[in-house]
Amino acid sequence: MSFRTRLAGIGYVLGTALAVAAILYFFSSNWGGLPRGAKTLLAACMTAGFYALAFVPATLPFWRKHGDFLPLVFLFAGVMAFGGTAALLNGIYNAHADEWRLFAVWFVPALLFSVLLRNVWFYALAYVIGHLALYFAFYPGTYFIRYTDWEIAGIIGLFGAINLLLYMTAERGLWRAGFVRPLSLAVFLFAAVWLSNSFVLNGVGHWLNLLSVAVLAACFRLFGKRRDSLALSLTGLAASFYAVLKFLELMEEHFSEVFFFFGLVFVALLLTANVLFFRFVARLGAGGGAGEDASASGTRVRTQRSGRATDNGGEGTLARHIRGTDDSAERADGPAAARVVGNIVTIVGTVIGAVSLIGLLMLLGEAWDEPGLAVFAVSVLLIALTAWLPRLNPTVRNTGLMIGLIAGNFSVFPYHEAWVNLVVLALGILCWFRVQGTGVKLVVHFIVQLTFVFFSLLHLEWYGNESAWILIILAAANAVIYALHERAGSPALRRPLELGSPLFMLAALFWLTFLEDVFTGSHALFNAMFFVLVSGLLVLSVRRKRHYDTTLSMVFWLLFVSFKYYDWLWDLLHKSLTMLLGGLILIALSALLDRRADRGKKAVGSPDANEASGADLAGGAEPSDGFSASVGHNGRPARLLPYRRLAAVLAILALQFAYIGGEIIVRENLIARGTTVQLAVHPDDLAYYRSGDATWVRYTISDLPEPMARELRDGGMTAGKRIRLVLRPDAEGVYQIDRIYREGETVRAGEVVINGRFDGWGGIRYGIESRDPDGDGGRKPSSLSPVVQVRISANGNAMLED
């Protein structure tokens, strides 16, 4: 695949991401300033536009070579747009829909597409949306609901049971789970351990310790028999988390020198147990093959037996196109997974050991003049011993070095001397060379930079905007490391530098863009420099086929555009429309580049043509991959998505547009049969409202009379519950609360029924409190009347008049 084609693929993803981000602005602004009809029309067209793009690639030759990649991207964006449209319609019509209902509506097309396309990214989207719907069913976003400890335990258990069911069905090959399978297992194990948390479940967590231990023991036994090293590693991580949680619970109850001493003993035992455990896992990988490979093989066999056909748009398609890898790169090697979890356990043990060591020395040294100096001396001794003792277990060495390094960084605060800070900085660099493992080296890399930050703040006194010099030095140092990392002779040294230096460099430069001027024009200079640098790094990474750098640059590019676009330009309405336009322009420019690349392949002697031909000859484009030239086995053009599943795709689309159309028709009909009333702004908010900058305004009907509020509280009404009130006009024609509406009662002439939600105390929220300061048409503050025109629909939902 040529450089231009790869760059165009990145452009398609970035352009689509910008357009999807515009949906968030659409939802945030509610398009204040546009009439309701324009809002609903644009809301429907937004979803229709993304889905329409999914049908285009099959008709354009220069897009067909991407296979199912572009249809999948646009279908994915269409599902995202549908969720934004559903939320937007709820805001436009103030439908008072619960958050979980909106996510449940959004979940339906995500689930249907995931089942139809068997693509891991659609499965992941449905997984996330489904969990959000379940979470908001118990915890509405804007209200606090109090549950008993047993009820909270039941909610956590429900999440755990659902993830266990997902994992078991994925193990049986019923769906192509990809990375969602270990994720569901991890969430299940986390839920099982969290049930024993006495900080959250006071009084109940102690009783559920037996359940947590039983789950962990059962997983160890089951996965040990199956030789599934990845699942064993996740279980080992959960067991370590459980041990750490119990340590923290005990520390709260027994804060003393003796406890911290036993904390150090606990770390020693924990590390010993984990070393033995991961040796066992390594033997599994060496003797019986990686458990994950065996599991994956079993899944493939079960899938073949069930007779299921695999789409080109299957698991990992989008990720392979972005990263340029195949399925084999996504299967975790058993020993490698064990090493990753070993690094995590080392970090957990380091935190506990460092806390115990510092706490013990500080408590014992209360009678000393300089307890910080004692912490520094012990940290130097510990680093020296673990760095140079021969034949020391790598996990023990890593943990000892990191405990010493963290303790040394702590000592620079109570013992305020510059030479101590510089010594700790030098020791940090030494620790980086002595520790083993990419993950541990990345953590040490971060701690060394933190040590320099401490030195700059404590001794150079670079505070406020002068902290820009700290970020500049860190960014420059990481840039030099990134430029020279390939000269490192050993992969064990080169890999952590390759991963860490660009991440820390971009993070420092990104942070720099938020600081005010250090010198005249520095803020604009830093922002321009970051945008040029990250864009150049993105293009260079695509050309050099550096997949990690490409992904990292894309993330920071999108973060920069989103944050700065939000901070700098216009109001939310113009942000949303221009960001959508920018995304479409980027997609169009990528299409032009893609077309030029397609023409270049046909030109004799073209570098793009040679590169593409070389890739094809090397087997870089296989018919089974969704990004090869779309040619079937019979030599005829293969049918791409969505045409390959046309009837099912159209049915899913029809279902979504039926919901959108039905929602608009029903709401408009209710509004047409409604009543326009006058509401008065609350006296306490009147000055704020008239300032023209108000974003949240209460009304005189926002506070219930105390007898009504007491009645609701005594009746057990909780926050977030719906309530219906009867309003009637006063002598000035402004409507006020008359009484609580009783189901079935007759409303007298001149009265109206309005829907709201109880806030748990004595206030009511009607959904019309939020205001857009930019949507008042540029009127002067004095022209804002304290009386607001509100349309109450036939079912009681209130809307501010356009």
Side-chain angles (χ1 to χ4, degrees):
M1 185 177 291
S2 69
F3 165 69
R4 289 179 177 177
T5 302
R6 294 197 308 273
L7 187 60
I10 298 299
Y12 294 134
V13 174
L14 292 177
T16 305
L18 283 179
V20 172
I23 301 172
L24 301 179
Y25 288 111
F26 292 165
F27 172 67
S28 299
S29 67
N30 197 11
W31 292 338
L34 288 181
R36 189 174 65 251
K39 293 179 183 181
T40 54
L41 178 62
L42 288 175
C45 291
M46 185 172 60
T47 302
F50 281 113
Y51 283 131
L53 283 175
F55 290 84
V56 176
T59 64
L60 298 178
F62 65 92
W63 270 7
R64 286 188 61 86
K65 65 176 178 290
H66 292 283
D68 287 332
F69 166 63
L70 291 179
L72 284 172
V73 169
F74 294 138
L75 287 175
F76 190 91
V79 177
M80 297 292 292
F82 173 75
T85 301
L88 186 61
L89 291 177
N90 179 69
I92 291 173
Y93 293 106
N94 190 23
H96 289 278
D98 296 318
E99 289 93 339
W100 74 267
R101 292 182 185 273
L102 295 176
F103 280 106
V105 169
W106 191 10
F107 174 73
V108 172
L111 178 64
L112 293 177
F113 272 125
S114 64
V115 173
L116 175 66
L117 303 177
R118 297 180 62 82
N119 180 274
V120 67
W121 295 103
F122 283 88
Y123 281 131
L125 180 62
Y127 179 88
V128 172
I129 296 173
H131 278 68
L132 288 174
L134 187 61
Y135 174 82
F136 282 113
F138 295 106
Y139 297 98
T142 56
Y143 300 96
F144 175 75
I145 297 180
R146 186 181 300 275
Y147 292 105
T148 65
D149 289 342
W150 282 111
E151 288 173 339
I152 296 175
I155 294 172
I156 297 173
L158 177 61
F159 276 93
I162 290 174
N163 280 274
L164 177 61
L165 179 62
L166 291 174
Y167 179 76
M168 293 174 61
T169 54
E171 280 292 288
R172 292 181 174 273
L174 299 181
W175 56 296
R176 300 186 61 180
F179 63 84
V180 182
R181 181 171 64 91
L183 176 62
S184 60
L185 175 61
V187 173
F188 163 69
L189 292 171
F190 174 81
V193 173
W194 198 250
L195 284 173
S196 67
N197 186 352
S198 61
F199 294 119
V200 177
L201 304 174
N202 187 19
V204 175
H206 295 298
W207 295 100
L208 296 177
N209 275 287
L210 291 177
L211 176 62
S212 300
V213 172
V215 169
L216 293 174
C219 289
F220 274 125
R221 180 177 178 83
L222 175 63
F223 299 138
K225 284 184 177 181
R226 293 170 47 183
R227 295 178 175 268
D228 190 338
S229 58
L230 177 58
L232 272 175
S233 299
L234 291 174
T235 308
L237 177 61
S240 300
F241 174 61
Y242 176 81
V244 171
L245 183 61
K246 299 301 110 179
F247 172 82
L248 295 176
E249 291 177 356
L250 292 173
M251 184 177 68
E252 184 189 36
E253 299 178 5
H254 310 284
F255 189 86
S256 64
E257 296 92 334
V258 175
F259 175 80
F260 284 123
F261 171 76
F262 282 107
L264 294 175
V265 175
F266 164 76
V267 170
L269 295 175
L270 177 66
L271 290 174
T272 302
N274 276 280
V275 167
L276 296 176
F277 169 70
F278 285 113
R279 284 180 180 175
F280 169 70
V281 173
R283 286 197 298 271
L284 288 181
E292 175 65 16
D293 292 338
S295 177
S297 174
T299 299
R300 288 193 295 270
V301 170
R302 286 190 295 268
T303 303
Q304 291 173 0
R305 288 178 179 176
S306 63
R308 292 183 176 86
T310 301
D311 273 341
N312 291 344
E315 170 191 349
T317 301
L318 180 57
R320 288 198 307 272
H321 184 68
I322 295 176
R323 299 197 312 266
T325 58
D326 55 17
D327 280 339
S328 62
E330 297 187 20
R331 291 193 296 266
D333 181 72
R339 286 195 299 271
V340 170
V341 179
N343 292 335
I344 298 175
V345 171
T346 299
I347 296 172
V348 172
T350 298
V351 173
I352 297 177
V355 170
S356 298
L357 177 63
I358 294 171
L360 179 62
L361 291 176
M362 294 301 291
L363 289 177
L364 292 176
E366 288 181 349
W368 305 341
D369 293 334
E370 296 291 350
L373 183 59
V375 176
F376 171 72
V378 172
S379 67
V380 173
L381 179 62
L382 182 60
I383 291 175
L385 288 174
T386 51
W388 302 114
L389 279 178
R391 305 180 65 179
L392 195 63
N393 184 278
T395 302
V396 178
R397 188 188 305 278
N398 290 348
T399 305
L401 289 173
M402 293 186 64
I403 289 176
L405 185 58
I406 293 176
N409 275 275
F410 174 83
S411 68
V412 304
F413 293 98
Y415 195 68
H416 197 273
E417 293 290 340
W419 68 269
V420 171
N421 208 315
L422 292 175
V423 170
V424 173
L425 184 63
L427 290 174
I429 297 174
L430 170 65
C431 290
W432 188 90
F433 284 98
R434 295 299 295 166
V435 296
Q436 299 181 24
T438 299
V440 184
K441 284 184 179 293
L442 287 173
V443 174
V444 175
H445 190 165
F446 173 75
I447 294 177
V448 170
Q449 295 178 92
L450 204 58
T451 308
F452 174 75
V453 172
F454 294 156
F455 176 77
S456 301
L457 295 176
L458 295 175
H459 305 291
L460 300 180
E461 297 183 352
W462 284 345
Y463 301 111
N465 289 336
E466 290 185 355
S467 61
W469 299 114
I470 302 176
L471 299 174
I472 292 173
I473 293 174
L474 291 178
N478 281 287
V480 172
I481 294 173
Y482 180 64
L484 301 178
H485 78 274
E486 293 183 351
R487 297 188 181 183
S490 169
L493 299 177
R494 186 168 58 249
R495 183 61 176 169
L497 295 178
E498 180 184 9
L499 296 177
S501 56
L503 172 62
F504 296 130
M505 177 189 68
L506 291 175
L509 291 175
F510 185 59
W511 192 350
L512 195 63
T513 63
F514 291 93
L515 300 182
E516 299 297 330
D517 280 344
V518 182
F519 52 86
T520 304
S522 66
H523 180 72
L525 175 63
F526 292 150
N527 279 273
M529 181 178 65
F530 179 84
F531 183 76
V532 171
L533 177 64
V534 75
S535 300
L537 183 61
L538 176 59
V539 175
L540 181 63
S541 302
V542 173
R543 177 176 287 277
R544 298 176 64 186
K545 300 182 180 180
R546 301 179 69 94
H547 311 301
Y548 170 78
D549 295 346
T550 300
T551 304
L552 197 63
S553 303
M554 289 174 60
V555 170
F556 276 96
W557 191 91
L558 290 171
L559 284 175
F560 177 81
V561 171
S562 300
F563 275 94
K564 298 305 174 180
Y565 191 71
Y566 186 89
D567 291 338
W568 288 347
L569 300 177
W570 308 312
D571 56 31
L572 288 175
L573 172 62
H574 297 92
K575 289 177 191 294
S576 59
L577 295 178
T578 51
M579 181 170 279
L580 177 60
L581 180 62
L584 296 178
I585 290 175
L586 187 54
I587 293 174
L589 292 177
S590 301
L592 291 176
L593 181 64
D594 208 1
R595 190 170 184 177
R596 289 186 61 186
D598 197 46
R599 291 175 178 174
K601 290 181 181 181
K602 301 176 182 178
V604 179
S606 170
D608 285 339
N610 295 336
E611 185 180 353
S613 300
D616 292 340
L617 291 174
E622 300 177 2
S624 61
D625 193 350
F627 313 108
S628 59
S630 303
V631 178
H633 296 289
N634 57 3
R636 298 178 180 177
R639 298 184 67 191
L640 300 183
L641 290 173
Y643 293 98
R644 198 168 62 251
R645 298 286 188 269
L646 185 59
V649 170
L650 291 178
I652 299 174
L653 298 187
L655 184 65
Q656 296 174 69
F657 287 110
Y659 171 83
I660 294 174
E663 187 76 3
I664 293 174
I665 292 172
V666 170
R667 299 301 173 186
E668 288 291 338
N669 181 51
L670 291 173
I671 291 173
R673 296 188 289 112
T675 305
T676 298
V677 301
Q678 292 183 332
L679 299 180
V681 176
H682 196 284
D684 294 343
D685 291 358
L686 188 56
Y688 177 48
Y689 171 70
R690 281 181 166 166
S691 70
D693 298 324
T695 58
W696 183 270
V697 174
R698 294 177 302 154
Y699 304 91
T700 54
I701 64 172
S702 296
D703 292 332
L704 287 173
E706 182 55 30
M708 291 186 188
R710 189 184 308 111
E711 178 186 351
L712 294 178
R713 290 195 299 268
D714 294 343
M717 176 167 283
T718 58
K721 291 294 184 181
R722 293 185 182 183
I723 184 173
R724 308 191 75 188
L725 300 172
V726 178
L727 306 182
R728 63 181 304 172
D730 59 14
E732 298 178 355
V734 177
Y735 279 72
Q736 306 292 346
I737 296 176
D738 182 69
R739 63 187 183 277
I740 298 175
Y741 177 76
R742 309 297 179 183
E743 197 65 34
E745 74 168 282
T746 302
V747 179
R748 295 186 291 269
E751 296 179 337
V752 295
V753 178
I754 188 171
N755 297 330
R757 289 182 182 273
F758 186 55
D759 67 0
W761 297 98
I764 304 295
R765 298 179 185 178
Y766 300 97
I768 53 176
E769 293 81 5
S770 179
R771 300 188 65 86
D772 179 14
D774 300 313
D776 292 321
R779 290 178 294 167
K780 296 181 180 180
S782 60
S783 66
L784 292 173
S785 171
V787 177
V788 179
Q789 301 292 324
V790 175
R791 184 75 174 181
I792 300 180
S793 64
N795 65 344
N797 293 335
M799 292 178 54
L800 293 173
E801 290 274 46
D802 292 332

